[in-house]
Structure formats: structure tokens, C-alpha cells
Amino acid sequence: MTNDRKYKFSWELLGDIAAGRPNLGNKTSLEVYRLLLFTFRDVLETHVGTEMTDKIFHEAGYLSGKEFYANKLTPTKDLGDFVRELQQVLKDMGIGILRLEQADVETGEFVLTISEDLDCSGLPELDHEICVYDEGFIAALLESFSGIKFKVKEIDCWCTGDRTCRFSAKAVKAEA
Ligand SMILES: [Zn+2]
């Protein structure tokens, strides 16, 4: 089954947008993006349940982060350079405004925020954080940069009453 995949992702699948959309270009309405996201999440939940839906979104975000790092960022060992370029690309692509609030390189613990986040800013308040996709995305970016696995959890979200999404990221220590 695994060598017989129909939908395996590759960056080329995103297509030649300049050729394909000479008039409309590389832009769409954010409502359309959210329509896709939230209808997917709804239908997935009815088929596989909430927990598996979150797992799928997390994994998709992770795959996205891996591909994004490989295709959009310049490999570097310098945390400052990495964060600066990431901030610029996220802003240029209209994904969000990234800030690194806390960084402890020794322990591998970071707190970062994404304001005006693509997925959730402006949504009605809910009783839970919803940026599971972003958690996977950020984990993959940090892992691609550092070579270390990270566990990322959203701790504040627009949907829980904050005006930014805040994520804690912790390096996963190798088991002894
Ligand atoms: Zn959020």
C-alpha cells in the first residue's frame, strides 16, 4: 500500500501559479483558506473522531513544516538568522507575525507567538485552542533547524481569549 500512494506530497504539486493564474495570481481570500480548513476538520471528525482528527492535523502541519523549511528557508546553524528569516517569510507570505518570546538554548525550551495567525485570528471564542496544525508546523521547523525533535503545544490562542497564539516548544530528550 505504501509504495502505491496516490496523494504523496511534493512541493511541485503546488504548481506553477504564475502560468496557471495569469489574471488572479498568487492570492485568494482568507475565507477560502479557512473554509477549506474547517470543512476538512468537520468531515474528518465525523469519520475518525476528534482525537484522530487532531493527530492528522498535527501530522499534516509537521509535513508542511518539513517541506516549508526545505523549500523556503536557508539552512543555518545560527538561531538568530533562522528566526529572522522565518519571521520575514511568514510575514511576506501572510501567514502570521512571529515573535520569539523566550529562548533557552541550553534546555531547548522556547516560547513563541504568532499574531494575526492564518488559522484562528478573529475567530469566535471557544473553550479550547485550535492551532494543532501550527503545532506540527512549528515542531518540524525547529527540528529541521536543530536536528532535534520538539514537542510543541499551543498554550494561548485567539479562540481562548488571547489576541495572539502562543506556543511552548520543548526539545525531546533522547531516552536514556
Ligand atoms: Zn491559535
Side-chain angles (χ1 to χ4, degrees):
M1 179 187 127
T2 42
N3 42 13
D4 196 23
R5 295 270 310 276
K6 185 174 175 186
Y7 294 122
K8 186 168 171 44
F9 181 83
S10 73
W11 200 262
E12 287 70 43
L13 273 175
L14 302 182
D16 183 342
I17 293 164
R21 307 220 329 163
N23 298 298
L24 295 176
N26 196 3
K27 293 268 181 270
T28 185
S29 153
L30 187 50
E31 282 164 297
V32 173
Y33 168 85
R34 288 183 177 177
L35 187 66
L36 178 74
L37 182 71
F38 290 111
T39 51
F40 252 112
R41 186 158 13 211
D42 176 303
V43 174
L44 273 175
E45 188 184 36
T46 65
H47 284 277
V48 300
T50 306
E51 201 175 315
M52 183 55 80
T53 299
D54 281 344
K55 188 169 154 44
I56 290 169
F57 265 74
H58 195 283
E59 277 185 32
Y62 181 85
L63 174 59
S64 167
K66 281 270 166 199
E67 294 286 339
F68 192 90
Y69 186 90
N71 288 281
K72 287 285 175 188
L73 299 176
T74 316
T76 174
K77 292 280 164 223
D78 186 88
L79 179 65
D81 289 346
F82 166 64
V83 172
R84 261 188 300 281
E85 189 185 29
L86 182 59
Q87 276 172 327
Q88 194 60 49
V89 176
L90 293 179
K91 183 161 178 273
D92 290 347
M93 294 182 77
I95 295 171
I97 299 166
L98 173 74
R99 279 191 55 222
L100 187 59
E101 279 192 341
Q102 291 171 37
D104 188 332
V105 178
E106 288 290 298
T107 61
E109 295 191 9
F110 300 88
V111 176
L112 40 99
T113 60
I114 301 181
S115 298
E116 302 194 28
D117 179 81
L118 202 50
D119 288 4
C120 76
S121 42
L123 261 61
E125 281 195 22
L126 306 166
D127 59 357
H128 52 87
E129 296 87 12
I130 65 150
C131 297
V132 183
Y133 184 92
D134 296 33
E135 291 175 353
F137 184 73
I138 292 166
L141 289 175
L142 290 172
E143 182 184 324
S144 299
F145 163 70
S146 66
I148 300 164
K149 283 226 173 279
F150 275 83
K151 180 146 185 48
V152 176
K153 183 84 195 75
E154 189 179 33
I155 48 180
D156 295 311
C157 183
W158 185 286
C159 294
T160 57
D162 285 275
R163 287 299 168 261
T164 188
C165 297
R166 181 169 287 107
F167 299 88
S168 99
K170 291 180 183 165
V172 178
K173 305 272 185 272
E175 302 284 319

